[in-house]
Amino acid sequence: MQLKAALIFIFAAAGAALYLTGASVAPYQSGVHFTDITRQAGINFVQHNGAFGKKYLPETMGSGCAFIDYDGDGYPDILILNSKDWTPGGQHYYSALYHNNRNGTFTDVTKGSGLDVEMYAMGVAVADYDNDGKPDIYITALEGDHLFHNEGNGKFKDVTAQSGIKNANFGTGAAWVDYDRDGKADLFVANYIQWTPQTDQWCSLDGVNKSYCTPDKSKGAPSKLYHNLGNGKFEDVSQKAGIADKSSKSLGVLVVDYNNDGWPDLFIANDTQANKLYRNNKNGTFTEEGLSAGVAFGEDGAARGAMGVDWADYDHSGRASLLVGNFSNQMLGLYHNEGNGLFVDEAPASVVGRASLLDLTFGAFFFDYDLDGYADILAANGHTETDIDRVQPKVQYKEAPLLFHNAGGKKFENVSSGVGPDFSRPLVARGVANADIDRDGDLDILFTTNGGPAILLRNDGGNRNKWLSLRLEGTRSNRSALGAVVRIESALGKQWNMVRSGGSYCSQSDLALTFGLAQDPVVNSISIEWPSGTKQQFNNIPANQFLKINESRGIVR
């Protein structure tokens, strides 16, 4: 097995080298720069991981972030999660809710919002679970998760106790998903390992000093699926649905219709265990197909340290392909959907694998940063060991993010150093999400860092190309339009995407869908397939617009 793995790596590296010296002759020039506007935007947040010398494993993990238009004004607001001290002390630490002032700045409105609850928070998912028109928030936390109902006027109420949700495991990623298409948003929660401060294990890089452990020796914790019963109540259907795998050590959660049958499936990134691909059986149950589909392991047949996840139709094939962030010395996973139930990891033979080999990737997603109509890749990197370079000199604790431009034809170019110095600074990054915070058409980026500041990067120049932004509102379907598929056609060709919660690492991007159009001035057609079965079509839509589309009323002006 070791010889086979070595040969695979040698051939993969050779393929990547051929690509670098052959196809990528001149660096791509997009005119896009990412500018750090954190301070001027009024974001003043530093994550507190509670570290005090014991080196407890969770200190290396969190925390995530989310974009949420909680007041419905069309401008995405920001939620950044925080942790706390292991034992009560004089200092208190809270997550932060920032209201978008619609002028490039944000105001901290945490105090009195109901979200000012101290917890060791990990992940977040956003959706309108009770269909009242206001997005709600689910937060995973070590001592027990929290469901916050949006009461309006910037106020949230913790309704966990009365909801029936009881997840006191090591919760990480989460996603809202209407898996049975009954018009109500259900909830999937990824659980990591069985862990308490008392059972924290001793690990060492040098055989003398304690270091942070990886989860290899810890027992997994089964994830949870909660069915939305209505009236604010949920039922744990994990066992009945077939997703309660005790061996999993889950981090990233992805809602993806990988077989194009109109029903949402689930891809779960597992750390040191096989990834899971749950096919929706359309009857409330799922069948796990990760191994047969080719997404369970890396090229060498071994499980990797998988964390952040996303999907996109990055080659305009009409099929959803997968992106997985992995541990250092493992490279990103770029699983191309072959359309026959099989995926092929294209990273080892491309610049994507070559450039990401040494990095430890937590958050990762596809987004069209230059609006040319092709999904690009962002990877948020940072190691878990502060002194990892003592034993692996080529691996660093702080690592710069990676940005891969989609050049078409399933080819990517590493443009990380070409989009401005603010982007290429080394970080200990964890969560990452995207949204158009200033409504100029292009997508901006929010990073969280472990034990450090949140960083907000504005996209400058992405909107040199044309675009279309769609925010959907269900009526017969769930209000957040989760699972709604949008297909557009312009002179550039056909594109599609699906409204979904979850993705990345413990974070959530804005629910609005942005389509890059290159220089196409008009979208010839927009077709929407709603989970309820409703279908809509709109023709000859001018570019550079924000459209709100209601399932019953169509385009809302």
Side-chain angles (χ1 to χ4, degrees), residues 174-465:
W176 295 98
V177 51
D178 185 4
Y179 73 92
D180 55 353
R181 305 201 317 188
D182 67 350
K184 299 184 291 292
D186 311 300
L187 179 67
F188 184 96
V189 183
N191 286 317
Y192 191 40
I193 57 173
Q194 298 179 35
W195 182 92
T196 65
Q198 294 73 32
T199 60
D200 189 71
Q201 300 184 28
W202 193 90
C203 301
S204 177
L205 291 175
D206 58 13
V208 177
N209 301 295
K210 188 180 190 298
S211 64
Y212 286 111
C213 290
T214 56
D216 304 66
K217 297 180 181 179
S218 300
K219 292 183 178 179
S223 294
K224 298 279 189 176
L225 181 63
Y226 292 98
H227 181 240
N228 190 337
L229 302 175
N231 300 315
K233 302 293 184 181
F234 291 81
E235 177 190 7
D236 185 344
V237 295
S238 312
Q239 291 287 348
K240 181 167 59 177
I243 61 91
D245 183 353
K246 294 181 180 179
S247 69
S248 291
K249 300 173 183 179
S250 303
L251 292 175
V253 183
L254 188 63
V255 180
V256 52
D257 181 10
Y258 75 93
N259 55 3
N260 291 340
D261 67 353
W263 290 75
D265 311 300
L266 296 165
F267 176 75
I268 313 301
N270 285 314
D271 191 356
T272 71
Q273 299 294 313
N275 298 324
K276 305 295 182 182
L277 181 62
Y278 291 106
R279 175 173 53 82
N280 193 326
N281 296 324
K282 311 176 189 179
N283 61 2
T285 69
F286 292 81
T287 298
E288 205 287 298
E289 297 184 339
L291 182 60
S292 61
V295 298
F297 303 112
E299 282 282 298
D300 59 356
R304 297 191 281 193
M307 286 166 281
V309 290
D310 200 11
W311 70 263
D313 179 9
Y314 68 81
D315 62 342
H316 290 196
S317 65
R319 301 183 294 271
S321 296
L322 306 179
L323 175 69
V324 183
N326 293 307
F327 207 77
S328 55
N329 298 304
Q330 294 179 345
M331 74 179 59
L332 287 167
L334 182 59
Y335 295 97
H336 182 260
N337 190 335
E338 300 293 298
N340 53 5
L342 296 176
F343 292 77
V344 174
D345 188 357
E346 297 192 329
S350 79
V351 69
V352 172
R354 182 76 169 181
S356 64
L357 178 60
L358 296 179
D359 291 310
L360 197 166
T361 300
F362 273 85
F365 55 65
F366 288 103
F367 75 140
D368 186 0
Y369 77 90
D370 61 348
L371 300 173
D372 66 352
Y374 287 85
D376 311 300
I377 293 173
L378 183 142
N381 307 314
H383 212 277
T384 56
E385 283 291 345
T386 58
D387 54 353
I388 185 62
D389 58 323
R390 288 197 302 114
V391 293
Q392 297 184 47
K394 293 185 178 181
V395 178
Q396 301 298 312
Y397 179 53
K398 291 185 176 182
E399 300 170 331
L402 289 170
L403 182 64
F404 298 100
H405 176 254
N406 188 335
K410 299 199 294 185
K411 294 179 180 179
F412 288 88
E413 301 162 309
N414 183 2
V415 297
S416 309
S417 61
V419 289
D422 289 346
F423 182 87
S424 56
R425 287 179 303 173
L427 305 172
V428 188
R430 294 297 183 257
V432 64
N434 67 77
D436 182 3
I437 61 167
D438 48 4
R439 286 175 65 95
D440 65 351
D442 50 32
L443 295 170
D444 312 294
I445 307 168
L446 177 65
F447 291 96
T448 64
T449 66
N450 184 262
I455 298 168
L456 182 62
L457 298 183
R458 186 184 64 213
N459 185 330
D460 292 328
N463 58 5
R464 294 183 183 185
N465 279 322

Side-chain angles (χ1 to χ4, degrees), residues 19 49 104 174 177 207 250 265 274 301 380 393 459 477 483 490 515 518:
Y19 175 81
N49 60 23
V177 51
S250 303
D265 311 300
N459 185 330
S477 303
S490 67
F515 292 92

